Amino acid sequence: RSTNIILVLCCFFNISLYSQWHKWDASLHLGGGLYKGDITSFDPNILVETQAAYGLSLRYRALPFLHVKTSAFLLDIAGDDLNYGKSDYRLRRAFQFQTNLRALGLHIEWHPLKYFFEKPLVQPYLSSGIIFGSFDPSANFERTELVIDLGKLIIDDQEQGVKGNFIAVPISL
């Protein structure tokens, strides 16, 4: 059995200091972070799990068609079985968690139409880079009525201060 995790960063508010005539621009991102897996499901209750998310990015226009961007994001994700407690299993498991995520990224953006036109009507671009991140999970098994082997491993990791790291290579169009 596998668990699918989807992290969603919704930017509800974005401030961008942008000008076509300058080589630098900066953006501040404010929004929410959500978790989707076996603890949550896609229904209105997922909004209860929304945690604050923040980001900052800085972009340099090296050439009209080639930009370099660095970014930093902070967000939390959470899940609680009791928010979705219609099944007997969820009510007995009563699992709850929260994870802090931190990420730093370096991206290159290629704007192909700017290579051929000075001011194209649309400006699609291809972006790729690398993201380094860390996460610090915490879980609560105090309410559970089940014996969960994985829970014992998670508690052992928490007591030893184990944190996780990840590397991602995003590609977007």
Side-chain angles (χ1 to χ4, degrees), residues 123-134:
Q123 297 186 26
Y125 62 91
L126 178 66
S127 174
S128 185
I130 189 163
I131 296 173
F132 300 97
S134 67

Side-chain angles (χ1 to χ4, degrees), residues 100-103 131-137 162-168:
N100 304 318
L101 294 146
R102 310 295 177 248
I131 296 173
F132 300 97
S134 67
F135 54 94
D136 184 12
V162 173
K163 296 181 181 182
N165 298 305
F166 64 90
I167 295 175

Side-chain angles (χ1 to χ4, degrees), residues 9-14 29-34 47 50-51:
L9 175 63
C10 302
C11 291
F12 298 117
F13 186 60
N14 183 23
H29 310 275
L30 304 172
L34 301 171
L47 297 177
T50 304
Q51 303 290 311

Side-chain angles (χ1 to χ4, degrees), residues 26-88:
S27 296
L28 173 64
H29 310 275
L30 304 172
L34 301 171
Y35 161 85
K36 168 63 179 117
D38 72 330
I39 306 298
T40 63
S41 59
F42 282 124
D43 65 28
N45 287 336
I46 198 168
L47 297 177
V48 174
E49 308 291 353
T50 304
Q51 303 290 311
Y54 312 95
L56 179 67
S57 61
L58 182 64
R59 183 168 56 178
Y60 175 71
R61 290 175 191 75
L63 297 168
F65 56 89
L66 190 66
H67 305 169
V68 178
K69 182 169 84 172
T70 183
S71 59
F73 286 94
L74 309 171
L75 71 132
D76 296 331
I77 57 173
D80 188 340
D81 272 337
L82 298 186
N83 288 334
Y84 306 90
K86 300 204 178 188
S87 75
D88 184 50

Side-chain angles (χ1 to χ4, degrees), residues 17 24 61 81 145:
L17 305 174
W24 292 92
R61 290 175 191 75
D81 272 337
E145 297 174 11

